[in-house]
Amino acid sequence: MAYNQDELEAPGWLNDEFFRDVMRESNNDPTIELIKPCVLRPGTNKGDHYASVMFRTTVRYRSQRSSKEQSVNIIMKTKPEADGLKKELLDDDRLFAIEIEMYSKVLPEMTRMLKEIGEEYKYPRYIYGALKPRTILILEDISDQGWVMAEFISTLDDMKPIVKDIAMFHAASVMLESADSTFVARHNYSIAEKFMGFKGMITKGFGDLMHLTRTCSEFAHFARPLGRFQENLHNFFTALYIPSKTIQNVLIHGDFHSKNMLHQVDVEGRHTNTILLDYQICCWTSPAVDLYYLLDMIPTQEVKDKYRSELIYMYYQQYSDLLKRLGYVGKIPSLLDLQIELVRYAGLELFHYAMFSSFRYMDQTAIDIEAYLKGELENPAFNNPEFKKLMHSELTRFLHQGTLS
């Protein structure tokens, strides 16, 4: 099993004294003492995570308030200490501040609200978070509770719990905003500039498409519209994270892809439940952003092609029904409003294809992810006939619907 390199050696401050103090604070119990040393393990497999450094451990402790020995499995997210692109992109504490607020305040309130109408929104239990003196977020590690990660989802039925989760998250956020005049201001963060910081990957992604227009005659007519789209990419991408003026905004997850969720699976292999992870870049904007992640970054291409309209319809039915049951008194957008919004934001889908479609044709554990994100590696999908076929089909769709005009 290959692990992320920066997770093989933990920083010295992640020691038993630190974990004892965390347990004391999170349990409000100064009598807690550790029973055994905490042995740190890498938090994720290679290629599974990029936006922080993660470790796992089991904390075994006792307290004067209880004769029973207790233990908890935890997973920690910290900032990278090794120099490189990862450290540069995560140099400030804003992403950690967002996620700490999400786990400690926003998600508990969403869950309470949804529980009142008989719905259950699940997330890992928050244990501890701090920005000073060290930046860290600690959650309960639920990987031993039957929750597993999956690759791209290959059936419509397995997509259903995912669609329900994001609909619940969006609907609850609308209710929070309607009751709190400061909510939007507190969630106005934009990840656009950090995304645009992957300049090498962006240049390489669009450069590969432009290379196809020069070397494959069937791609030649995409050259000029692709060039115009890339010239305006920064302005377009920045606008994605400004609240929409054409539809009801929501708090988006913002990093809604297959590696940021865990699933419970029954004996027949069907997904019965899904839990979302990594709430680092949540912000208040159009639901179209998360919906393009839903379409582009979670199902297999076959499921997306076959059920694209049904997935959006399923989301809309869940979202609008939840708002009604939660007692929302504002205007709920129509399905047509949502479809028009998706056309307005379709450039994000084109961006996803240029940047991420090649990941479907590579073994991510076999490449240097940071080098790939810098645009230093050749695209392993570039000469794959299936990749070319997919890109030609999708670029044609973008051209015909006006996204490339």
Side-chain angles (χ1 to χ4, degrees):
M1 186 175 291
Y3 293 107
N4 293 318
Q5 188 62 38
D6 51 10
E7 295 174 0
L8 295 177
E9 184 174 350
W13 56 272
L14 279 177
N15 53 34
D16 288 347
E17 182 181 5
F18 173 80
F19 293 121
R20 180 203 64 192
D21 292 344
V22 164
M23 287 298 105
R24 287 178 173 180
E25 181 172 331
S26 64
N27 290 280
N28 192 25
D29 183 355
T31 70
I32 284 178
E33 296 291 345
L34 300 192
I35 299 169
K36 294 182 179 180
C38 296
V39 179
L40 292 177
R41 310 183 299 275
T44 53
N45 296 335
K46 186 178 180 182
D48 280 353
H49 191 78
Y50 189 77
S52 56
V53 179
M54 302 179 70
F55 299 95
R56 302 175 192 268
T57 194
T58 300
V59 184
R60 296 178 172 84
Y61 62 95
R62 67 165 59 93
S63 164
Q64 293 178 12
R65 296 179 182 175
S66 172
S67 58
K68 184 180 179 181
E69 294 183 358
Q70 300 181 69
S71 69
V72 60
N73 293 324
I74 62 175
I75 187 163
M76 296 146 273
K77 300 176 75 169
T78 68
K79 288 169 64 175
E81 297 188 350
D83 290 338
L85 178 63
K86 195 169 181 178
K87 183 177 181 181
E88 292 170 17
L89 292 170
L90 299 168
D91 196 38
D92 63 61
D93 290 332
R94 187 63 190 272
L95 299 188
F96 278 87
I98 290 170
E99 192 160 31
I100 288 170
E101 179 175 2
M102 288 299 301
Y103 276 109
S104 64
K105 298 177 182 177
V106 178
L107 292 175
E109 182 59 19
M110 285 183 170
T111 303
R112 181 200 63 77
M113 191 181 297
L114 288 161
K115 186 177 181 180
E116 289 182 351
I117 62 167
E119 299 291 352
E120 185 178 19
Y121 187 86
K122 296 182 178 181
Y123 59 94
R125 178 166 64 95
Y126 172 78
I127 291 177
Y128 177 82
L131 302 179
K132 303 294 181 185
R134 302 284 187 173
T135 304
I136 189 167
L137 170 69
I138 301 180
L139 305 170
E140 183 177 11
D141 182 1
I142 61 172
S143 59
D144 65 334
Q145 299 173 21
W147 294 96
V148 296
M149 189 175 287
E151 293 301 319
F152 295 109
I153 304 300
S154 58
T155 72
L156 179 64
D157 280 345
D158 287 351
M159 287 295 297
K160 289 177 180 177
I162 301 171
V163 173
K164 175 117 186 236
D165 265 15
I166 201 63
M168 285 196 290
F169 183 73
H170 286 176
S173 76
V174 171
M175 295 303 296
L176 289 179
E177 186 273 337
S178 68
D180 181 356
S181 60
T182 69
F183 190 82
V184 173
R186 288 189 288 111
H187 297 280
N188 66 350
Y189 178 73
S190 171
I191 195 68
E193 292 302 326
K194 285 193 182 294
F195 268 126
M196 291 294 101
F198 293 106
K199 293 179 181 177
M201 184 181 179
I202 293 170
T203 301
K204 184 75 170 61
F206 281 94
D208 284 348
L209 293 183
M210 294 303 291
H211 181 73
L212 285 175
T213 70
R214 293 190 296 270
T215 58
C216 302
S217 59
E218 65 269 30
F219 282 84
H221 62 295
F222 297 127
R224 290 183 65 187
L226 267 174
R228 288 195 299 267
F229 181 88
Q230 188 176 2
E231 287 173 6
N232 192 49
L233 180 60
H234 189 281
N235 290 337
F236 167 78
F237 207 85
T238 301
L240 292 175
Y241 296 90
I242 299 171
S244 173
K245 296 179 180 178
T246 50
I247 203 168
Q248 169 66 55
N249 292 288
V250 301
L251 188 68
I252 64 164
H253 181 279
D255 204 14
F256 187 45
H257 58 76
S258 59
K259 293 189 182 298
N260 277 345
M261 53 190 67
L262 297 174
H263 312 275
Q264 287 183 327
V265 182
D266 67 16
V267 293
E268 296 179 355
R270 294 172 300 195
H271 291 197
T272 58
N273 218 329
T274 294
I275 196 168
L276 305 186
L277 309 170
D278 285 7
Y279 294 86
Q280 287 185 305
I281 58 176
C282 297
C283 72
W284 187 255
T285 188
S286 171
V289 176
D290 273 349
L291 293 182
Y292 275 125
Y293 273 87
L294 174 71
L295 294 174
D296 302 337
M297 311 289 275
I298 298 174
T300 61
Q301 189 67 38
E302 182 181 5
V303 168
K304 176 185 174 179
D305 290 343
K306 190 173 182 179
Y307 299 112
R308 180 189 182 92
S309 295
E310 188 169 347
L311 288 167
I312 297 303
Y313 179 75
M314 187 189 304
Y315 162 84
Y316 177 77
Q317 292 294 101
Q318 296 271 10
Y319 171 74
S320 57
D321 177 64
L322 285 161
L323 280 180
K324 291 171 186 174
R325 291 163 57 201
L326 287 165
Y328 183 60
V329 296
K331 180 181 181 295
I332 299 175
S334 69
L335 177 58
L336 181 60
D337 292 331
L338 181 61
Q339 295 287 11
I340 292 171
E341 184 80 351
L342 287 169
V343 173
R344 288 193 182 99
Y345 280 69
L348 177 58
E349 186 169 32
L350 171 56
F351 178 83
H352 284 166
Y353 273 104
M355 296 300 104
F356 304 122
S357 58
S358 57
F359 280 100
R360 295 175 182 264
Y361 299 86
M362 70 170 76
D363 177 3
Q364 294 179 43
T365 66
I367 65 169
D368 182 338
I369 291 292
E370 182 152 333
Y372 186 78
L373 294 176
K374 288 180 178 179
E376 295 173 353
L377 298 183
E378 285 301 312
N379 184 340
F382 193 59
N383 294 314
N384 187 304
E386 287 299 313
F387 174 74
K388 287 184 180 179
K389 181 180 177 181
L390 170 67
M391 294 313 300
H392 189 275
S393 172
E394 295 303 296
L395 287 172
T396 299
R397 180 168 64 86
F398 290 128
L399 185 66
H400 291 174
Q401 73 182 17
T403 304
L404 272 175
S405 64

